[in-house]
Amino acid sequence: MAKFDIFLIKLSLVLFIEITCVLGKSFRTHKLDDEFSGLKTTKLSPDESNSNSLEYKVYNYTQTLDHFNFNPDSYMTFPQRYVVVDKYWGGTTNSSLIFVYTGETTDIIEDVKYGGFPPVLASRFNALLLYIEHRYYGTSTPFGSREEAYKNTTTLGYFTTEQVLADYAQLIIDVKKNMSAENCPVIVIGASLGGIHASWFRLKYPHIAYGAYASSTPILYFPGLGTPENGYSVVVSNNFNTTSTSCYNTIRESWFEIDRVAAQSDGLSSLSQMFNTCMPLNTSKDLKINLEARYNGWAEFDDPASNYLQLFCNATDEGGQKTYILNKIINGFVAMRGQRCINIVDFSPRYDSGWDWQTCTEMVIPTGRGENDTMFQADPFDLYKYTKECQQVFGVTPKPYQISLEFGGYGIKTVLEKFASNIIFSNGLRDPYSSGGVLQNISDSVLAINTQEGHHALDMNTPMATDPDWLVAQRDTVINVIQGWLSKYVVPN
């Protein structure tokens, strides 16, 4: 591929990160489907990508709206999309493996196209590969349309984690039955929110899933589980600091300079011109939130092929100490984005956002930070304010401890030791979400596979010849562990 084409693709990826990266301010938590910002780097080498030649079939399954009640509405159904890749499958005679990719907050076809490691796994194990779309995302929307599905709390009330996992259970059972594959073992795999679901699915439906492979899965980033609320921002800050201490200090000091300029007469107009914002700034907070969102996105998806932080920091450091601090930041943005204007994204919660609904009900991930513990200004998590905003947008009150109650977050080590087996928790420690992940082996079969240099869901990317040795070793370890599980699999009688 021509170098210019590669540059354009990487530039578009940077823009994608900027658009999709959701900031963890007082209301918003960092959006967990952003692994696609990283997975799309597979487009850099289409000649090496499985996704470009992957043959798949798309189906709609008649899914039950409500798996847990017997009200009249509970018997309603909706079309749930799923995708089958059978080119590698060894068939039912050999009880060949089935990999099930649990969807997250996006169109399932994105997973199929840009996540290149699952097809590699399917090829390695002669497995069937089944992708299932998350309800209320993509085309898997109840009530006939997205507009009706997101209409109010009555229609959104069926949008819960328990319902999602039950969807997967029902669909897997029926697909296996239709294919006469009842004796074939199932291993669920997923990344980020999909990885959370994969690990919980193994815990809740062990009779359906023989194992789970969960990449970049912050199952401990919920209230009361011991993860510091500043965990995400600390890792982002450390990533910048290890890239360049002077760059880290520049960002850290820039917030106060932005506030100083904004306080002057015509200060906001000056900031708009300096940063080349697409629209005039209303507040300095709008600018700071958008800068922070980009720093978070670049740090989260700074894979070895992209080196976003190195590119940004080289430009900020180039002018030396005499350069005006905000000009240093602007130089970094020009290096990353060219001369295009900076779009000031409104990160306010929206009633038609599925992720906002999830975070306003049960997926409460308390990201915040105090004074002087990161490169960002203090912004502690405020549950009271968070609750008020959820009530204002959706008319619902969050249940911050619901997830821990349902899936055993309290004393997770004891829970996993006593009740779990065959789970891989895979993390790169430069992924900010690794701060809420399982980073130590729990038992002989509940394993933590960590890499010091890895970023968010990097192991789910398409393997390439240019991958560093540590990434190759991480994937090889996953393969070896799954091979060990299968060696002990006993066909059901």
Side-chain angles (χ1 to χ4, degrees), residues 425-437:
F425 292 102
S426 176
N427 284 281
L429 300 185
R430 288 177 71 86
D431 171 18
Y433 275 118
S434 67
S435 57

Side-chain angles (χ1 to χ4, degrees), residues 154-186:
T154 299
T155 54
L156 283 169
Y158 302 100
F159 193 172
T160 69
T161 299
E162 282 193 309
Q163 298 282 9
V164 170
L165 298 185
D167 287 345
Y168 298 155
Q170 182 172 313
L171 195 153
I172 291 169
I173 289 174
D174 280 5
V175 167
K176 288 182 69 177
K177 182 178 180 180
N178 291 338
M179 301 181 74
S180 299
E182 290 93 336
N183 291 338
C184 295
V186 168

Side-chain angles (χ1 to χ4, degrees), residues 210-228:
Y210 181 63
Y213 163 35
S215 172
S216 295
T217 301
I219 64 169
L220 302 181
Y221 218 141
F222 295 98
L225 301 187
T227 298

Side-chain angles (χ1 to χ4, degrees), residues 451-468:
T451 57
Q452 292 294 327
E453 298 299 319
H455 293 266
H456 193 68
L458 185 60
D459 52 321
M460 283 291 182
N461 285 13
T462 302
M464 298 184 182
T466 55
D467 286 339

